Amino acid sequence: MKKICVLGLGYIGIPTACMFATSGYQVHGVDIDENIIKIIKSRNCPIEEPGMKTLLNASLNSGNLEISNTPVESDIFIIAVPTPIKDDKTMDYTFLKRATEDIYPLLKQGNLVIVESTVTPGSTNEIVKPILEKSGLNIGEELFLAHCPERVLPGFILKELINNDRIIGGINEKSALMAKEVYKSFVSGEIFITDLTSAELTKVVENTYRDVNIAFSNELALVCDKLGVNVLDIIKFANRHPRVNILTPGPGVGGHCISVDPWFLIEKAPEITRITKLAREINDNMPKYVVNKTSNILKNIKNPKIGIFGVTFKGNIDDVRNSPAITVCDILYDMNINFKIYDPHVKYFKFELSDLETTITDSDLILLLADHKEFKYLSPEEIGSKMRNLNVFDTRNILDKEKWIKHNFNFVNI
Ligand code: SAJ
């Protein structure tokens, strides 16, 4: 049985390790975070993702998945570590470099290294390859190198890991073909092969396309606000055209992908990427728009209290990375506005979390920032009975407007 070492046991590393462990490979998962190792060893899953806990336990029970904080000799190494941006919006290579440094002493002739992390185009060649060369192996002939960017949507990771098409770039064709053979063990989507930079660029382009489309919908929301029409109606009607597909406006774009990856494109061609930059700016301004609208709703209330519902970057997940809710809370905090936060999916957040009761009691506004499914079923009657003033601002457009209005709420949406 071939051995795969997966570096980084996060939102991509854990599911990927488990898929391989249940598809005929012996997998060794590695993470530098002792807490993650501890959680997995106690048979729990460090990420909230449908089906993941079951798959993780099946993988561990099969004996094909073991984990530790150090990599081991293997046939294949998959790097799935975070590649965030620094304050200056350029890519932070720290984890990628560290993971590559950790494996080069273990490399043997015939090994394959695959970078799954999203990177600025050119990085696998310019950052990863020089470190791997320290092994003394000739890259492309003795040691093979590929980039196979993940493309899965949090909330649907397991389904998308299997079904989505994959793009694999190789330092040469042999590397790409070897990587294709590895992923074929569980991917039922089509696998395309290309060169390293093309695969890196494709990944970044996908997320940039989405960011630009969301920015357009957010800009449209502001226009509709000015014209006094419902942006959701306009998008719904426009999307009935066979070649139009406008995404949905919201409180901003968060997460570790769409709000980050466009910067990888900008980094490579700052003078050309004008739309990309503008889209980032528009989406990053949405939390400010949310706070302005909130202040407007509360303008006649003395010492208002806001009940915030949901702080993840999108619904039904536990991930708060780059969430627009952080910026909303930061601004409210700076404005000295009293708020409580309720999020049934989140354990740790920058600001204190409360239970539902504490969040709504004597509040003047429910500010819904994440579209968790349980919020859809809230009873406006029950919530309203605990509040001081009946205002609700649904930035995700998931609440049943008529129902809340029927229970005397002033209902505001994006
Ligand atoms: N959002 C909107 N309006 C929309 C859609 C999304 O405001 O119409 C916001 C969300 O609320 C969230 C952010 O955008 O804050 C990103 O959410 P998302 O669901 O669009 O995407 P991610 O970041 O969870 O996952 C993306 C996916 N990329 C694409 O759809 C092109 C996923 O397939 C990638 O694998 C993932 O990035 C990644 O890891 O790169």
Side-chain angles (χ1 to χ4, degrees):
M1 198 184 270
K2 281 203 169 169
K3 189 157 188 163
I4 300 185
C5 182
V6 177
L7 293 109
L9 296 176
Y11 284 85
I12 298 303
I14 296 179
T16 304
C18 292
M19 291 311 294
F20 282 118
T22 49
S23 305
Y25 285 94
Q26 178 66 41
V27 179
H28 186 92
V30 181
D31 205 290
I32 53 170
D33 185 339
E34 286 298 340
N35 198 33
I36 289 184
I37 304 286
K38 215 165 87 193
I39 294 171
I40 298 178
K41 285 206 163 145
S42 66
R43 301 265 158 174
N44 285 307
C45 186
I47 58 166
E48 185 190 319
E49 181 63 34
M52 202 47 244
K53 198 172 171 191
T54 312
L55 181 66
L56 180 62
N57 273 300
S59 307
L60 292 166
N61 291 342
S62 71
N64 288 343
L65 175 66
E66 54 187 34
I67 53 157
S68 81
N69 58 5
T70 32
V72 295
E73 285 192 355
S74 300
D75 301 291
I76 301 142
F77 293 84
I78 296 180
I79 301 178
V81 295
T83 43
I85 38 168
K86 295 183 285 196
D87 288 344
D88 68 357
K89 307 290 186 195
T90 61
M91 183 174 143
D92 182 349
Y93 296 106
T94 317
F95 301 111
L96 182 64
K97 277 185 172 162
R98 180 177 170 166
T100 316
E101 290 282 354
D102 283 349
I103 58 169
Y104 90 77
L106 303 168
L107 296 170
K108 293 184 309 257
Q109 190 151 359
N111 280 178
L112 167 67
V113 176
I114 302 169
V115 178
E116 274 231 19
S117 312
T118 306
V119 291
T120 48
S123 305
T124 310
N125 200 24
E126 290 154 24
I127 308 287
V128 177
K129 187 173 149 236
I131 301 174
L132 297 179
E133 276 167 343
K134 293 203 256 177
S135 66
L137 296 164
N138 189 322
I139 317 284
E141 282 166 31
E142 296 172 310
L143 177 68
F144 301 91
L145 176 60
H147 176 56
C148 181
E150 57 82 12
R151 328 168 94 177
V152 289
L153 195 67
F156 301 88
I157 290 182
L158 298 185
K159 195 171 137 243
E160 292 213 348
L161 264 180
I162 296 169
N163 295 321
N164 287 4
D165 294 344
R166 298 292 288 247
I167 314 298
I168 298 180
I171 194 121
N172 55 5
E173 197 186 12
K174 180 153 187 213
S175 298
L177 287 170
M178 280 172 78
K180 182 175 177 175
E181 209 44 47
V182 175
Y183 284 91
K184 255 171 59 184
S185 63
F186 69 82
V187 172
S188 66
E190 213 172 319
I191 303 177
F192 297 85
I193 63 164
T194 181
D195 59 276
L196 284 177
T197 310
S198 299
E200 292 166 331
L201 186 58
T202 303
K203 163 68 196 201
V204 170
V205 162
E206 291 162 5
N207 282 347
T208 304
Y209 162 79
R210 206 162 156 85
D211 198 42
V212 171
N213 192 333
I214 298 168
F216 178 63
S217 73
N218 282 331
E219 182 170 280
L220 211 52
L222 271 53
V223 172
C224 289
D225 218 0
K226 196 171 168 163
L227 301 184
V229 288
N230 186 339
V231 65
L232 297 177
D233 285 344
I234 308 302
I235 292 175
K236 185 173 78 191
F237 297 145
N239 283 352
R240 298 304 295 200
H241 184 289
R243 285 174 296 282
V244 175
N245 183 20
I246 306 169
L247 289 171
T248 316
V253 172
H256 45 294
C257 310
I258 296 190
S259 65
V260 172
D261 298 356
W263 290 111
F264 295 170
L265 199 65
I266 297 167
E267 186 179 338
K268 281 291 163 182
E271 67 295 343
I272 306 171
T273 43
R274 290 183 295 159
I275 288 184
T276 310
K277 241 178 277 164
L278 199 57
R280 280 284 69 243
E281 189 188 312
I282 291 170
N283 289 335
D284 277 350
N285 265 321
M286 287 311 284
K288 254 182 244 148
Y289 166 79
V290 167
V291 173
N292 286 345
K293 236 172 137 71
T294 301
S295 308
N296 203 29
I297 302 167
L298 298 171
K299 66 178 183 288
N300 294 323
I301 300 172
K302 227 178 138 211
N303 298 325
K305 176 191 161 186
I306 302 173
I308 294 179
F309 279 29
V311 285
T312 54
F313 79 85
K314 64 182 192 176
N316 309 317
I317 56 168
D318 60 355
D319 195 341
V320 295
R321 284 177 291 174
N322 302 322
S323 174
I326 301 173
T327 316
V328 169
C329 293
D330 276 340
I331 307 175
L332 291 174
Y333 181 83
D334 288 344
M335 289 167 76
N336 245 331
I337 295 181
N338 182 13
F339 61 88
K340 295 271 182 239
I341 302 169
Y342 170 60
D343 192 315
H345 292 260
V346 177
K347 289 190 195 77
Y348 308 102
F349 188 59
K350 183 173 178 186
F351 295 88
E352 192 192 341
L353 297 163
S354 305
D355 58 18
L356 178 61
E357 179 88 16
T358 317
T359 305
I360 57 175
T361 303
D362 294 331
S363 65
D364 301 291
L365 167 76
I366 299 298
L367 175 59
L368 188 145
L369 295 176
D371 41 350
H372 296 317
K373 58 181 176 308
E374 45 274 75
F375 294 160
K376 279 190 201 164
Y377 310 109
L378 290 169
S379 153
E381 194 177 4
E382 254 177 72
I383 302 263
S385 69
K386 310 249 165 62
M387 291 174 68
R388 192 166 60 166
N389 284 292
L390 302 188
N391 294 296
V392 59
F393 180 11
D394 175 10
T395 70
R396 295 289 185 171
N397 301 307
I398 58 156
L399 300 178
D400 181 344
K401 183 175 174 180
E402 303 311 320
K403 202 165 95 182
W404 287 75
I405 290 177
K406 204 173 120 205
H407 287 97
N408 304 318
F409 270 84
N410 166 34
F411 190 96
V412 179
N413 56 3
I414 292 243

